[in-house]
Amino acid sequence: MDLSYIINHLGEDRDEYMGAAVPPIFQTSNFVFSNVTDMRAALIREMDQPFYTRGHNPTVATLRQKLAALEGSEECLVFSSGSAAIAAGLMSALQAGDHVVCVRKPYSWTNKLLTQLLPRFGVETTFVDGSDPEEYRRAIRPNTKLLYLESPNSLTFELQDIEAVVAIAKAHGLLTAIDNSFATPLNQQPILMGVDMVFHSASKYIGGHSDVVAGVMCCSRERAEIVFRGEYMTLGSIISPNDAWLLLRGLRTLPLRMERVAKTTPQVVAFLEAHPAVETVYYPFSPSHPQHELAMRQMKQPTGQFSIALRSDSVAEVDAFCDKLTYFMLAASWGGYESLAFPMSALVTSANYSGSVVPWNVVRFYAGLEDAEVLIEDLRQALEAIPVKAHR
Ligand SMILES: *Cc1c(COP(=O)(O)O)cnc(C)c1O
């Protein structure tokens, strides 16, 4: 199945839609039946047939089909947020007494799930750096059940060698799960590398317009059925038909958007690497990055997130730099049309600052759909806030 077919046609039945080019939003909680036989049949197949929108909804079903095809998975479930997808997927796979090995500093609320919620139910986690897959192997205990990856990783975009970690998991009979949000299914398909559960925050690239919060889990049909009957239906953190429709619209331009940032972001990064006020650039697609070879092997093209450490010893200077940015707006999320900056210095007083690992002089950037020249000029004028005396 080619990409254009998946994006433009798969799962869309235009005859059913009275010829409408765009799928309608099935904004209904209930589906009605003309006889008990049909009702009984629908209830048995609640994951695949309209019965009640917490289980199945045609708008959501179209989205599920497209996302599964993009990831190369048998099935897909869509949730009300990326965090909901991760929590439901991990809870379905774990029980009291189990142990998880997770990459260091995963997304903040994944971190909270593993360090605060799951321990209340008897699940423990060991965190590893993960840039060497052997660290996963060394952390395995007799009760280890699952290896968790996030590649690229939050904030500083370290990678894990997915195939190597999967090989370790398979040798020990363990499950693997990955947060694939930063790569998108277009650039990295972990299911095809043997990963059992792939998660996305669809609030980011998949939505692409900064107007939806949603999450995705891709996996085998068998696993999806377990999650559907369990966490999906009981915790009920499902996506609304309206939000599913917005994600369908976002998907129409996902390949174009990813192509765009693959061209512009390396130019912006090259400018920053040459700037005296920038101490470090964190971007795995940069030729000077220690994991560049792995990035090129594991992902299809560069993506739009990078971070920089500023050559400054003053929070006030970092703040002034961020305040001077105009095209890059200050916000926590990413993945939309607009460029964003997120300074670690803003986190220092927050209860969620899992901190220590990422220093306060680091600013995370997301390159939106603007021209590279515009973004470079914005950064150039803002970097004037970092005085030359610090440039030694
Ligand atoms: C945003 C994000 C999440 C959480 O997704 P929500 O949709 O905000 O719940 C998970 N992982 C990564 C890498 C993210 O960036």
Side-chain angles (χ1 to χ4, degrees):
M1 228 185 305
D2 66 272
L3 184 57
S4 299
Y5 181 80
I6 297 171
I7 300 270
N8 289 0
H9 301 290
L10 181 69
E12 300 181 50
D13 187 342
R14 297 192 170 98
D15 293 338
E16 286 276 310
Y17 310 155
M18 305 171 83
V22 173
I25 305 172
F26 284 87
Q27 190 69 38
T28 181
S29 59
N30 256 334
F31 297 85
V32 297
F33 300 89
S34 52
N35 59 62
V36 179
T37 305
D38 289 354
M39 190 180 201
R40 187 178 292 127
L43 195 47
I44 290 169
R45 305 187 62 239
E46 212 181 342
M47 185 168 157
D48 306 304
Q49 279 198 7
F51 185 81
Y52 181 57
T53 281
R54 175 152 45 78
H56 181 106
N57 175 282
T59 314
V60 178
T62 303
L63 179 64
R64 279 172 51 196
Q65 273 194 56
K66 286 186 195 287
L67 289 167
L70 290 175
E71 272 292 350
S73 64
E74 284 175 11
E75 257 298 354
C76 164
L77 293 173
V78 189
F79 294 81
S80 57
S81 71
S83 301
I86 294 166
L90 293 189
M91 284 174 69
S92 78
L94 298 166
Q95 61 183 27
D98 285 346
H99 173 248
V100 176
V101 184
C102 178
V103 66
R104 189 178 71 115
K105 68 175 185 58
Y107 177 71
S108 55
W109 297 97
T110 304
N111 189 61
K112 189 154 192 170
L113 175 73
L114 292 170
T115 58
Q116 293 185 40
L117 267 71
L118 288 179
R120 284 170 33 211
F121 302 94
V123 175
E124 286 186 342
T125 299
T126 303
F127 293 91
V128 296
D129 176 73
S131 51
D132 176 0
E134 285 305 313
E135 291 176 34
Y136 274 94
R137 194 198 301 277
R138 283 196 287 274
I140 292 171
R141 301 181 191 164
N143 61 336
T144 302
K145 185 75 187 289
L146 182 141
L147 308 184
Y148 189 91
L149 301 86
E150 187 177 291
S151 183
N153 198 348
S154 287
L155 306 177
T156 43
F157 313 115
E158 295 83 5
L159 311 182
Q160 299 99 60
D161 185 331
I162 299 171
E163 284 176 336
V165 176
V166 166
I168 292 167
K170 293 217 188 295
H172 290 80
L174 308 177
L175 294 171
T176 43
I178 187 168
D179 185 330
N180 201 27
S181 304
F182 286 110
T184 78
L186 299 190
N187 289 329
Q188 179 168 283
Q189 293 171 295
I191 292 280
L192 305 185
M193 302 183 210
V195 173
D196 298 297
M197 287 176 258
V198 176
F199 301 113
H200 285 277
S201 169
S203 327
K204 314 293 169 55
Y205 275 135
I206 290 172
H209 295 76
S210 303
D211 51 12
V212 189
V213 174
V216 175
M217 174 181 182
C218 291
C219 57
S220 67
R221 171 74 194 185
E222 190 187 359
R223 181 163 301 283
E225 282 176 3
I226 294 169
V227 176
F228 180 84
R229 282 195 300 270
E231 287 71 15
Y232 187 84
M233 288 298 277
T234 57
L235 301 180
S237 49
I238 58 144
I239 191 170
S240 71
N242 195 74
D243 282 351
W245 186 90
L246 285 168
L247 292 186
L248 285 172
R249 187 170 68 171
L251 278 184
R252 306 282 193 205
T253 57
L254 181 63
L256 280 178
R257 289 185 280 112
M258 298 316 293
E259 261 173 48
R260 169 72 169 175
V261 296
K263 286 208 189 78
T264 55
T265 315
Q267 295 174 44
V268 176
V269 166
F271 163 78
L272 289 168
E273 284 178 328
H275 198 286
V278 177
E279 195 172 77
T280 317
V281 179
Y282 305 89
Y283 189 57
F285 300 99
S286 164
S288 62
H289 191 276
Q291 292 184 301
H292 182 248
E293 185 271 326
L294 176 60
M296 301 309 283
R297 171 156 54 88
Q298 196 160 267
M299 289 181 278
K300 292 202 182 94
Q301 58 184 351
T303 54
Q305 313 86 352
F306 57 90
S307 290
I308 61 174
L310 287 162
R311 191 163 280 144
S312 168
D313 47 20
S314 144
V315 175
E317 283 174 14
V318 175
D319 289 359
F321 160 73
C322 291
D323 291 350
K324 272 173 81 86
L325 292 164
T326 52
Y327 285 89
F328 287 96
M329 296 185 280
L330 298 180
S333 190
W334 53 272
Y337 56 90
E338 77 288 26
S339 290
L340 300 172
F342 181 45
M344 295 307 116
S345 62
L347 275 176
V348 171
T349 56
S350 151
N352 294 321
Y353 191 49
S354 52
S356 53
V357 267
V358 183
W360 57 266
N361 65 330
V362 170
V363 182
R364 185 192 72 187
F365 288 93
Y366 164 70
L369 301 179
E370 299 91 339
D371 287 334
E373 298 72 43
V374 166
L375 297 181
I376 289 169
E377 178 50 30
D378 195 22
L379 290 162
R380 196 199 54 72
Q381 61 82 27
L383 282 165
E384 285 168 7
I386 313 292
V388 177
K389 65 171 169 45
H391 291 181
R392 286 185 307 263

Short mmCIF file of all heavy atoms in Angstrom, two decimals, residues 36 57-58 80 117 128 164 209 240 248 262 269 277 331-332 337:
data_model
loop_
_atom_site.label_atom_id
_atom_site.label_comp_id
_atom_site.label_asym_id
_atom_site.label_seq_id
_atom_site.Cartn_x
_atom_site.Cartn_y
_atom_site.Cartn_z
N VAL A 36 -32.97 -7.45 17.28
CA VAL A 36 -32.08 -7.94 18.33
C VAL A 36 -30.92 -8.75 17.74
O VAL A 36 -29.79 -8.70 18.25
CB VAL A 36 -32.86 -8.79 19.36
CG1 VAL A 36 -31.93 -9.32 20.45
CG2 VAL A 36 -33.96 -7.96 19.99
N ASN A 57 -16.32 3.96 16.77
CA ASN A 57 -17.00 5.06 16.09
C ASN A 57 -16.42 5.13 14.69
O ASN A 57 -15.20 5.03 14.52
CB ASN A 57 -16.77 6.37 16.86
CG ASN A 57 -17.34 7.57 16.14
OD1 ASN A 57 -16.76 8.07 15.19
ND2 ASN A 57 -18.49 8.02 16.60
N PRO A 58 -17.24 5.28 13.65
CA PRO A 58 -16.72 5.21 12.28
C PRO A 58 -15.63 6.24 11.97
O PRO A 58 -14.68 5.94 11.25
CB PRO A 58 -17.96 5.46 11.42
CG PRO A 58 -19.11 5.02 12.27
CD PRO A 58 -18.72 5.36 13.68
N SER A 80 -7.48 9.68 24.21
CA SER A 80 -7.71 11.11 24.40
C SER A 80 -6.42 11.90 24.59
O SER A 80 -6.44 13.12 24.59
CB SER A 80 -8.63 11.34 25.60
OG SER A 80 -8.05 10.74 26.75
N LEU A 117 3.03 6.30 39.84
CA LEU A 117 1.74 5.56 39.81
C LEU A 117 1.95 4.05 39.84
O LEU A 117 1.42 3.36 40.69
CB LEU A 117 0.93 5.96 38.57
CG LEU A 117 -0.06 7.09 38.80
CD1 LEU A 117 0.65 8.41 38.99
CD2 LEU A 117 -1.07 7.18 37.69
N VAL A 128 17.92 3.48 32.49
CA VAL A 128 19.27 3.32 31.93
C VAL A 128 19.52 4.40 30.89
O VAL A 128 18.57 4.93 30.30
CB VAL A 128 19.45 1.93 31.27
CG1 VAL A 128 19.33 0.82 32.29
CG2 VAL A 128 18.46 1.71 30.13
N ALA A 164 18.73 -3.45 18.19
CA ALA A 164 19.61 -4.09 19.19
C ALA A 164 18.84 -4.33 20.49
O ALA A 164 18.97 -5.40 21.11
CB ALA A 164 20.84 -3.23 19.43
N HIS A 209 -1.44 20.76 13.86
CA HIS A 209 -1.95 22.13 13.82
C HIS A 209 -2.15 22.74 15.21
O HIS A 209 -2.82 23.76 15.35
CB HIS A 209 -3.28 22.18 13.05
CG HIS A 209 -3.11 21.81 11.60
ND1 HIS A 209 -2.94 20.51 11.19
CD2 HIS A 209 -3.08 22.57 10.48
CE1 HIS A 209 -2.82 20.49 9.86
NE2 HIS A 209 -2.90 21.72 9.41
N SER A 240 -12.59 11.81 20.93
CA SER A 240 -13.93 12.15 20.45
C SER A 240 -13.94 12.07 18.92
O SER A 240 -12.90 12.27 18.29
CB SER A 240 -14.31 13.57 20.89
OG SER A 240 -13.54 14.50 20.15
N LEU A 248 -7.53 13.23 11.18
CA LEU A 248 -7.59 12.80 9.77
C LEU A 248 -7.15 13.95 8.88
O LEU A 248 -6.40 13.76 7.92
CB LEU A 248 -9.01 12.37 9.40
CG LEU A 248 -9.48 11.01 9.91
CD1 LEU A 248 -10.97 10.81 9.63
CD2 LEU A 248 -8.66 9.88 9.28
N ALA A 262 12.46 18.50 7.20
CA ALA A 262 13.70 17.77 6.90
C ALA A 262 14.67 18.65 6.12
O ALA A 262 15.88 18.49 6.21
CB ALA A 262 13.39 16.49 6.12
N VAL A 269 20.01 24.43 12.28
CA VAL A 269 20.98 23.82 13.19
C VAL A 269 22.40 24.21 12.80
O VAL A 269 23.23 24.53 13.65
CB VAL A 269 20.78 22.29 13.22
CG1 VAL A 269 21.96 21.59 13.89
CG2 VAL A 269 19.48 21.94 13.95
N ALA A 277 27.69 32.03 20.72
CA ALA A 277 26.93 32.02 21.98
C ALA A 277 26.31 30.65 22.26
O ALA A 277 25.68 30.43 23.30
CB ALA A 277 25.82 33.08 21.94
N ALA A 331 6.30 27.94 24.24
CA ALA A 331 5.24 26.96 24.57
C ALA A 331 5.88 25.61 24.84
O ALA A 331 7.02 25.35 24.43
CB ALA A 331 4.24 26.85 23.43
N ALA A 332 5.10 24.75 25.51
CA ALA A 332 5.65 23.46 25.94
C ALA A 332 5.54 22.39 24.86
O ALA A 332 6.37 21.50 24.78
CB ALA A 332 4.92 22.98 27.19
N TYR A 337 2.20 23.85 13.08
CA TYR A 337 2.72 24.64 11.96
C TYR A 337 3.73 25.68 12.43
O TYR A 337 4.52 26.19 11.65
CB TYR A 337 1.56 25.34 11.24
CG TYR A 337 0.76 26.21 12.19
CD1 TYR A 337 1.10 27.54 12.39
CD2 TYR A 337 -0.28 25.67 12.96
CE1 TYR A 337 0.42 28.33 13.30
CE2 TYR A 337 -0.97 26.45 13.87
CZ TYR A 337 -0.62 27.77 14.03
OH TYR A 337 -1.28 28.53 14.95
#
